[in-house]
């Protein structure tokens, strides 16, 4: 089944829409937002998928990041899916960092999460096919980025699917979930206790295990981020990339925290990073 339009609004000459569809990956109704700039009326465009963080929906990035202005200038379609399956019959947890709103972009194998929490397959397979069928996308010119938990998802998907995602970046990402509390809690619940089964969903472990990208990975991190030392640990990923010869730039910004003012400050630079790489496709 295709997309159902929830709303569409004129925005910076293009159209900002919110849509829903019945997902085969999650077995639930999923929502997403899509911005198509004016250039999409006459030509196929490169696109970037943005993955949001813990407790977010497709709306947070859409209304807070100010991405549409930059996407309109650069001629980029920007897609922001929800962060997890949702619904009364979908497993959940009272905590903000597990369950609905906290899918961690993995395919869960453990009860009660396994039936619906298949966000890796959703983003890697179902979502690209869905948007390509509906919107004017240039084949082969798809990037992926994200913030926090979504930054983790973008790095993992970018490393595991380099043929599908032609550019990757992340803002304040969880780079080594197997080594930090947010990740160990989620992975224990979704994937079980065997830590070897966690490695395909850990960006630092993926680099250690031989996964590479031919292009530069960009990461930006605020130095006033309260989650930096306990949950994010960008130095672990940078060190793994240095040992492996994987090109990465980690930009640190004094005074910036974890919130969407930080995202809004850097979103233009990230979209430009993607536009430059996708222009080669």
């Amino acid at each position: 089944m295709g997309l159902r339009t929830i709303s569409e609004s004129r925005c910076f000459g293009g159209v900002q829409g919110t849509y829903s569809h019945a997902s085969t990956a999650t077995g639930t109704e999923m929502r997403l937002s899509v911005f198509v700039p004016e250039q999409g009326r006459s030509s196929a465009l490169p696109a970037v998928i943005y993955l949001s963080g813990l407790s977010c929906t497709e709306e947070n990035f859409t209304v807070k990041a100010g991405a549409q202005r930059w996407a309109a200038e650069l001629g980029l379609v920007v897609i922001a899916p929800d962060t997890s399956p949702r619904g009364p019959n979908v497993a959940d947890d009272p905590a903000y960092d597990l369950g609905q709103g906290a899918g961690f972009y993995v395919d869960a194998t453990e009860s009660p999460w396994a039936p619906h929490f298949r966000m890796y397959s959703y983003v890697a397979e179902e979502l690209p096919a869905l948007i390509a069928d509906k919107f004017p996308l240039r084949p082969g010119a798809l990037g992926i980025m994200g913030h926090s938990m979504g930054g983790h998802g973008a790095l993992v998907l970018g490393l595991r699917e380099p043929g599908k995602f032609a550019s990757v970046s992340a803002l304040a990402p969880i780079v080594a979930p197997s080594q930090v509390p947010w990740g160990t809690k989620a992975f224990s619940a979704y994937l079980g206790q065997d830590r070897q089964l966690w490695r395909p969903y850990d960006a630092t472990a993926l680099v250690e295990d031989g996964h590479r990208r031919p292009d530069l990975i960009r990461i930006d991190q605020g130095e006033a981020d309260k989650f930096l030392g306990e949950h994010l640990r960008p130095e672990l990923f940078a060190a793994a990339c240095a040992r492996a010869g994987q090109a990465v730039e980690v930009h640190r910004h004094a005074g910036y925290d974890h919130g969407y003012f930080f995202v809004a400050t850097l979103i233009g630079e990230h979209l430009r990073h993607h536009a430059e790489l996708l222009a080669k496709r």
Side-chain angles (χ1 to χ4, degrees):
M1 295 179 64
L3 291 174
R4 178 175 65 87
T5 300
I6 296 172
S7 66
E8 289 184 332
S9 299
R10 197 84 168 133
C11 182
F12 288 99
V15 175
Q16 175 63 64
T18 301
Y19 309 92
S20 70
H21 70 104
S23 168
T24 56
T26 68
T28 66
E29 191 80 1
M30 293 293 294
R31 289 170 59 111
L32 64 149
S33 79
V34 181
F35 174 72
V36 180
E38 189 171 18
Q39 299 94 313
R41 292 183 177 185
S42 57
S43 60
L45 301 177
V48 180
I49 294 175
Y50 176 95
L51 304 180
S52 293
L54 289 166
S55 78
C56 290
T57 69
E58 80 292 338
E59 185 179 34
N60 297 74
F61 171 77
T62 305
V63 302
K64 292 181 178 181
Q68 295 90 345
R69 170 193 163 196
W70 297 102
E73 176 184 317
L74 295 166
L76 287 174
V77 176
V78 180
I79 303 102
D82 200 352
T83 54
S84 80
R86 299 179 191 269
N89 298 317
V90 176
D92 201 8
D93 188 273
Y96 76 97
D97 54 359
L98 190 67
Q100 295 185 39
F104 267 86
Y105 304 101
V106 305
D107 283 351
T109 57
E110 300 297 300
S111 179
W113 314 103
H116 300 296
F117 280 73
R118 298 185 53 80
M119 289 300 293
Y120 184 92
S121 290
Y122 178 72
V123 177
E125 302 295 337
E126 186 173 9
L127 184 60
L130 184 76
I131 58 179
D133 186 57
K134 169 76 172 178
F135 299 102
L137 306 189
R138 185 193 306 161
L142 179 63
I144 191 162
M145 66 177 296
H147 172 236
S148 192
M149 177 186 72
H152 139 73
L155 293 174
V156 167
L157 283 148
L159 286 164
R160 286 179 58 178
E161 312 279 350
K164 182 163 292 182
F165 299 108
S167 56
V168 179
S169 72
L171 293 144
I174 307 168
V175 301
S178 300
Q179 302 183 55
V180 301
W182 270 343
T184 56
K185 177 180 179 179
F187 285 8
S188 295
Y190 297 146
L191 303 172
Q193 297 302 314
D194 184 351
R195 286 177 172 255
Q196 286 299 116
L197 301 179
W198 299 5
R199 295 185 72 82
Y201 298 107
D202 183 311
T204 299
L206 285 169
V207 171
E208 292 172 346
D209 292 346
H211 288 264
R212 302 287 184 271
R213 291 195 57 82
D215 51 280
L216 174 74
I217 298 171
R218 174 170 181 150
I219 293 174
D220 282 83
Q221 176 63 60
E223 292 189 335
D225 189 324
K226 66 180 180 180
F227 303 117
L228 176 58
E230 184 177 16
H231 295 292
L232 305 181
R233 306 291 304 278
E235 72 279 1
L236 297 176
F237 185 70
C241 288
R243 291 191 296 269
Q246 169 63 55
V248 63
E249 288 183 355
V250 180
H251 302 266
R252 289 178 173 263
H253 304 271
Y256 285 91
D257 62 20
H258 196 69
Y260 261 92
F261 291 121
F262 171 64
V263 175
T265 300
L266 274 300
I267 192 64
E269 293 188 32
H270 276 252
L271 291 180
R272 194 171 301 278
H273 166 81
H274 288 274
E276 291 173 356
L277 289 174
L278 297 175
K280 302 174 183 178
R281 304 302 290 257

